[in-house]
Amino acid sequence: MSKNNCFEVTGQLEHFTESLKDALIEWCSKNHYDYAYIYHDKDIKHNDDTNEDELKPNNLHFMVNTGSSRWTFQMLLDRFSALGMKSTMLQKVRKGWNNALSYLVHRTEGAVNDGKHLYELKEVVASFDYQTTIGVIEEQVEEKKTRIDEVIELINSLVCRRFNIHQFISIEDYTKKGNKQKIDMAFSYVETRLREEKKGRDMEVYWIYGKPGIGKTTLAKIICKNKKWSFAISSSSNDPLQDYEGQDALILDDFRPNGWTKSDVLKMFDNNTASSIKSRYQNKQTCYLRAIIVTTVLSPYELWVNWDSGSKEPYEQLSRRVTQEIEMYKDVAEGDFAHTYFTVKGFDNVGESSTKRYDFTKHLEKIRAEAEAERKKRESAFADMDCVDVVSSSNVKKPLEASKLVDDKDVPF
C-alpha cells in the first residue's frame, strides 16, 4: 500500500463521537482499507497555573491507509463533515504508515524523547494483526540502523574522537552524503556538553626539562603509556596544535614561548576550567584533556622570568598550575658510566611536596636497542651490495657502554 495516502483523524471525545468512529470503520471495511485506533487517556500535561501535572482530555486517534485510492483531504471532509469531522481533526500522515502505527502507542523516537506515556499494544483496535505488524516494523527499524548511528553513539560515549574516527568508520561511509556533517555535529554537541560538565575539570600538568637529547620526549610518551592515555605531540610548524584532535594528553614538545602570550599559556594550563586553545584555523577544544606535558630545556621558573611578553603575570600563576616538575640530568660524578636520572617535584594546593629521584637508564637503553634493530632492518635493503667507503658521517657518536643500574625502580606514573 502507498505510504503517501494515509490519514489520521484525532480529536477529543466531545468532537470525535462514537458515530463518527463507527462510520469510519464501516467505510474502511467496505473499501478494504487498513485502519487502527486507540484512546489516549493516560497522557499528562503540566498546568502552569497550579504548577502540577494533570491528565490531558481523552483523545481518540484513528489511522487509515487508503492504499492506491485517490482520496484527498477535502473529499474526506465532505464525506464525514455531517458526522462532526472538522478540518482541525484531519491530517495527512507524512512520515509513513509504519511511523503512524508506532505513534499510536508512542513508540516513535520523538514520542519517547518527549516522555509521552507508552501505551500497551493490546489497547489498539485494528483491522489487522497490529501486534505482529509492530513487531515487524521494529525489526525493520533495527536492521536499517546505519553505521553512522553506531558511530554517533560511540562519539557520545567518548570512545570515538576526532583523532581516531578512522578506526570506527570506513572512508566510504564517512564520505556518504550528509554523514560528515552528522559526525561534526555529534562532536560539537559532545564537546559543548563536556565543557558544561567539566567547568571544574581536574587536569594534570607535567613540566619536563633538561638538556637536549636527554630523553624528555621519551619520558613524556612513557607517562602516557603507563597512564593509558592517548596523546598528541605538538607540531614543529607555525601551528603547534594542528595535530591535536581530542586525545587524552597533549605533549608540548620542545616548548618555546614564541607565538604564545603568558595569558594564553595560563589559560591552557588552567587545571580547573575547560577552554579552547588557540590554533591557526580553528581553536582546539580542551574538554577531553586529562594532561598537558611540557618538554623544554628550561625549568618553569627560568622560562617565565626570561619570557619578555609584555605581561606582568607573576610566576606563581604558572607554578600553581604545574602538578609535576620533572628535571632530567646525568650525574657527572659517575663519569663515562653516568646514568640518566629524573627528579619529580609534586605540587598541591598548599605547596611543594617531597622530591623523588628515579633512574631512567634502563628505559633509554631498551629504546635505543629497539632503534638500533630498526636501523639494521633498513640497512637490509643494501644486503647484497659491498660497502666501499663512508663518504660522509656527521652523526657518529661513541657507543654507549653497558652499565650496572644503581636504582632499578619503574617510572612512577
Side-chain angles (χ1 to χ4, degrees), residues 129-141:
D129 188 340
Y130 176 77
Q131 296 190 34
T132 299
T133 301
I134 286 294
V136 172
I137 290 172
E138 292 183 347
E139 286 180 6
Q140 290 173 344
V141 169

Side-chain angles (χ1 to χ4, degrees), residues 352-367:
E352 181 179 324
S353 66
S354 61
T355 300
K356 295 181 180 180
R357 185 175 84 153
Y358 298 89
D359 192 322
F360 196 47
T361 310
K362 73 169 187 176
H363 293 84
L364 289 177
E365 289 180 343
K366 178 181 177 182
I367 290 167

Side-chain angles (χ1 to χ4, degrees), residues 308-324:
D308 184 16
S309 71
S311 172
K312 302 298 183 182
E313 296 281 359
Y315 169 65
E316 288 72 24
Q317 288 285 75
L318 175 64
S319 64
R320 70 182 181 86
R321 287 166 163 80
V322 177
T323 315
Q324 302 276 347

Side-chain angles (χ1 to χ4, degrees), residues 328-341:
M328 299 191 71
Y329 59 93
K330 286 183 179 291
D331 190 339
V332 294
E334 296 176 358
D336 291 340
F337 297 94
H339 288 207
T340 300
Y341 299 100

Side-chain angles (χ1 to χ4, degrees), residues 229-261:
W229 288 335
S230 56
F231 63 90
I233 300 179
S234 61
S235 168
S236 59
S237 71
N238 58 356
D239 184 11
L241 301 184
Q242 68 179 7
D243 295 327
Y244 179 74
E245 296 291 347
Q247 290 89 338
D248 297 320
L250 171 63
I251 299 175
L252 292 175
D253 199 30
D254 196 18
F255 179 73
R256 293 178 174 85
N258 299 7
W260 299 91
T261 66

Side-chain angles (χ1 to χ4, degrees), residues 55-205:
L55 279 174
K56 288 183 178 180
N58 195 343
N59 281 266
L60 177 59
H61 290 259
F62 193 106
M63 304 291 182
V64 55
N65 188 341
T66 65
S68 59
S69 300
R70 296 176 179 250
W71 286 92
T72 65
F73 189 90
Q74 190 59 47
M75 289 168 65
L76 288 173
L77 282 177
D78 291 342
R79 184 177 184 91
F80 296 102
S81 60
L83 294 169
M85 182 183 287
K86 303 181 184 302
S87 61
T88 54
M89 300 170 61
L90 180 65
Q91 61 180 332
K92 198 95 181 266
V93 172
R94 304 197 181 278
K95 291 188 176 181
W97 179 239
N98 288 352
N99 184 270
L101 294 180
S102 298
Y103 181 77
L104 287 176
V105 288
H106 288 160
R107 288 200 181 185
T108 60
E109 183 178 358
V112 171
N113 291 339
D114 290 341
K116 293 190 175 183
H117 178 79
L118 293 177
Y119 289 90
E120 295 185 32
L121 300 182
K122 64 182 181 181
E123 296 181 72
V124 175
V125 180
S127 61
F128 52 90
D129 188 340
Y130 176 77
Q131 296 190 34
T132 299
T133 301
I134 286 294
V136 172
I137 290 172
E138 292 183 347
E139 286 180 6
Q140 290 173 344
V141 169
E142 189 64 27
E143 288 174 0
K144 287 182 179 179
K145 191 173 184 180
T146 62
R147 182 59 182 157
I148 194 68
D149 296 317
E150 296 174 6
V151 170
I152 288 174
E153 289 178 4
L154 291 170
I155 291 172
N156 188 50
S157 63
L158 307 187
V159 174
C160 177
R161 303 188 195 172
R162 295 184 189 273
F163 76 94
N164 63 357
I165 182 70
H166 62 280
Q167 296 178 12
F168 301 99
I169 189 169
S170 67
I171 190 170
E172 292 81 10
D173 286 335
Y174 183 80
T175 54
K176 283 181 180 176
K177 185 178 179 180
N179 280 2
K180 184 180 183 301
Q181 182 182 11
K182 289 180 180 179
I183 288 171
D184 288 340
M185 290 174 65
F187 278 126
S188 296
Y189 176 88
V190 168
E191 287 159 4
T192 300
R193 187 192 78 209
L194 289 176
R195 285 197 301 274
E196 183 65 24
E197 292 175 352
K198 294 189 176 183
K199 285 184 176 178
R201 70 173 174 174
D202 183 19
M203 186 188 73
E204 299 178 80
V205 176

Side-chain angles (χ1 to χ4, degrees), residues 386-392:
D386 294 328
C387 181
V388 179
D389 196 5
V390 176
V391 177
S392 173

